[in-house]
Amino acid sequence: MTITPPIRLGLVGIGKIARDQHLPAIAGDDRFTLAATASRHATLDDIPGHGDIAAMIAGGHDLDAVSLCTPPNGRFEQAVAAIDAGLHVMIEKPPEATVSAVVKLAERARARGVVLFATWHSREAAAVDRARDWLAGKAIRAVRIDWKEDIRRWHPGQEWILEAGGFGVFDPGINALSIATRILPDGLRLEAATMEVPEGRASPLRAELAMKSGTAPATATFDFLQTGPQTWTIAVDTDAGTLELSMGGSILTLPGGEPEKAPDREYPRLYARFAELIAAGESDVDVRPLQLVADAFLVAERRTGPRFEFQEYAAGR
Ligand code: NAP
């Protein structure tokens, strides 16, 4: 199906990431026009709004595509509604709460002839492609991932994130796994995991993973209670020295070199890629980061940690 630009887009789930990143990226890309929204509580000025995706699809907006920014658990039904209506679908990370749901969505999109783009925004960070190119052909000796951030600062009041299917600290941690599976020539294989789930909650605030990249050991430490400086770092020891990707993949330090930083273009790049995929009629669905998280939940030794309640974030005031 050929679309006459701009692509008429429906945005689903008007929350933090939709406002912080999707709306500016859509506004800055003339291949898209925001035609409608679906959110239970939120609406946008001057854009037709609906309470759910079914009403948005039935709303006569002549949509070509939807972008899902709701929490992962429950996106399956939203994506199915869009695919069955013949719409192309872009999904925030992690694409769904289960691997089987994503596999089913990919099959359904293929059968219906629409594009499914399961995004991994961190793979679009400025230094990720350079890191992958530098690592190609090197012998990997060890990998260390440290992903430590404050849930109260980045996910204020998001109770869903600690519910079953909310991923807990794997919500940010899967960003590290999405980068690592992109840049490491041999990918990652999970061997063991521990996780700490606060009393009365279903998803962890802390996790440690033991993995292998080829034969090299790879560890990941995920912490959702990090106050002060935040850490999103991947270090890779190779036969040519240590590569470090920091600040979520935006800064690259090569052996003996100075840190290299480029401007953040993650979400503009995601929408550019969505437009390219639609033009080419191709889907992009890579479940490897989600598989690693699912494997961690399969094998993890679990500890119960202290109770956790969201409080107003007070730092910097
Ligand atoms: P959020 O602020 O909670 O926004 C999600 C929105 O989805 C809510 O405002 C809500 O709007 C709607 N929604 C629909 N069903 C819901 C349900 N069952 N529970 C809660 N909300 C529901 O979350 P977010 O931070 O934008 O995260 C959404 C997705 O983006 C997640 O997959 C996350 O991993 C990803 N992401 C987040 C960040 C970040 O920094 N926060 C960064 C990158 C990616 P209505 O109440 O109006 O329906």
Side-chain angles (χ1 to χ4, degrees), residues 242-278:
T242 297
L243 169 150
E244 187 176 280
L245 263 181
S246 52
M247 295 312 288
S250 61
I251 300 178
L252 177 67
T253 310
L254 295 174
E258 294 294 315
E260 303 167 26
K261 184 168 176 26
D264 170 24
R265 301 259 318 141
E266 291 181 19
Y267 281 80
R269 285 178 55 145
L270 284 182
Y271 276 93
R273 175 121 179 92
F274 191 32
E276 287 163 11
L277 289 169
I278 290 172

Side-chain angles (χ1 to χ4, degrees), residues 7 15 39 48 56 69 90 92 96 109 127 129 148 151 156 165 167 184 196 200 263 274 276 284 288 293 305 317:
I7 297 161
S39 212
M56 184 180 80
C69 301
M90 168 166 161
E92 254 298 351
E96 232 285 346
D129 287 347
K148 301 176 179 177
I151 184 174
F167 286 73
L184 294 169
E196 183 182 305
F274 191 32
E276 287 163 11
D284 180 350
R288 288 177 299 158
V293 174
R317 296 181 184 199

Side-chain angles (χ1 to χ4, degrees), residues 22-60:
H22 288 254
L23 291 175
I26 295 163
D29 191 329
D30 57 17
R31 286 166 292 190
F32 291 93
T33 187
L34 183 58
T37 64
S39 212
R40 297 165 309 175
H41 304 99
T43 53
L44 300 175
D45 291 345
D46 304 325
I47 305 288
H50 300 274
D52 61 40
I53 189 169
M56 184 180 80
I57 290 171

Side-chain angles (χ1 to χ4, degrees), residues 5-317:
I7 297 161
R8 294 181 60 78
L9 188 75
L11 192 63
V12 183
I14 309 300
K16 187 171 191 312
I17 201 62
R19 291 183 192 278
D20 289 358
Q21 296 288 351
H22 288 254
L23 291 175
I26 295 163
D29 191 329
D30 57 17
R31 286 166 292 190
F32 291 93
T33 187
L34 183 58
T37 64
S39 212
R40 297 165 309 175
H41 304 99
T43 53
L44 300 175
D45 291 345
D46 304 325
I47 305 288
H50 300 274
D52 61 40
I53 189 169
M56 184 180 80
I57 290 171
H61 305 295
D62 201 16
L63 295 176
D64 300 304
V66 299
S67 180
L68 302 184
C69 301
T70 46
N73 201 3
R75 286 204 201 116
F76 180 78
E77 288 75 14
Q78 296 165 350
V80 163
I83 290 168
D84 289 357
L87 304 179
H88 304 295
V89 179
M90 168 166 161
I91 314 186
E92 254 298 351
K93 49 62 58 173
E96 232 285 346
T98 68
V99 182
S100 53
V102 185
V103 171
K104 277 284 156 210
L105 288 179
E107 289 171 5
R108 202 165 181 125
R110 196 178 314 119
R112 189 64 175 78
V114 297
V115 166
L116 179 65
F117 181 23
T119 65
W120 298 108
H121 67 86
S122 292
R123 287 183 173 177
E124 306 301 332
V128 170
D129 287 347
R130 282 254 298 133
R132 181 190 51 190
D133 292 347
W134 190 83
L135 288 171
K138 306 258 183 336
I140 308 298
R141 302 232 161 105
V143 181
R144 291 176 304 283
I145 299 172
D146 285 291
W147 226 252
K148 301 176 179 177
E149 66 176 54
D150 192 339
I151 184 174
R152 291 157 293 213
R153 176 166 166 190
W154 303 102
H155 301 274
Q158 292 179 2
E159 299 287 344
W160 60 264
I161 217 162
L162 292 174
E163 292 169 2
F167 286 73
V169 75
F170 287 97
D171 178 272
I174 202 168
N175 294 334
L177 299 175
S178 75
I179 295 174
T181 48
R182 169 59 63 88
I183 65 172
L184 294 169
D186 274 326
L188 287 169
R189 174 173 62 86
L190 190 97
E191 290 191 326
T194 60
M195 48 179 82
E196 183 182 305
V197 179
E199 191 188 334
R201 303 279 192 168
S203 289
L205 282 174
R206 291 195 170 99
E208 303 262 350
L209 310 186
M211 300 172 284
K212 286 274 168 62
S213 183
T215 56
T219 59
T221 301
F222 298 153
D223 190 341
F224 229 162
L225 295 176
Q226 170 94 345
T227 53
Q230 310 282 285
T231 307
W232 301 283
T233 302
I234 300 175
V236 186
D237 297 341
T238 76
D239 55 346
T242 297
L243 169 150
E244 187 176 280
L245 263 181
S246 52
M247 295 312 288
S250 61
I251 300 178
L252 177 67
T253 310
L254 295 174
E258 294 294 315
E260 303 167 26
K261 184 168 176 26
D264 170 24
R265 301 259 318 141
E266 291 181 19
Y267 281 80
R269 285 178 55 145
L270 284 182
Y271 276 93
R273 175 121 179 92
F274 191 32
E276 287 163 11
L277 289 169
I278 290 172
E282 284 171 16
S283 288
D284 180 350
V285 181
D286 179 2
V287 295
R288 288 177 299 158
L290 186 59
Q291 249 163 3
L292 288 164
V293 174
D295 284 356
F297 274 84
L298 270 176
V299 300
E301 287 178 32
R302 285 156 207 257
R303 292 187 302 270
T304 301
R307 292 192 75 81
F308 172 84
E309 300 300 339
F310 284 92
Q311 290 144 359
E312 201 177 351
Y313 182 68
R317 296 181 184 199

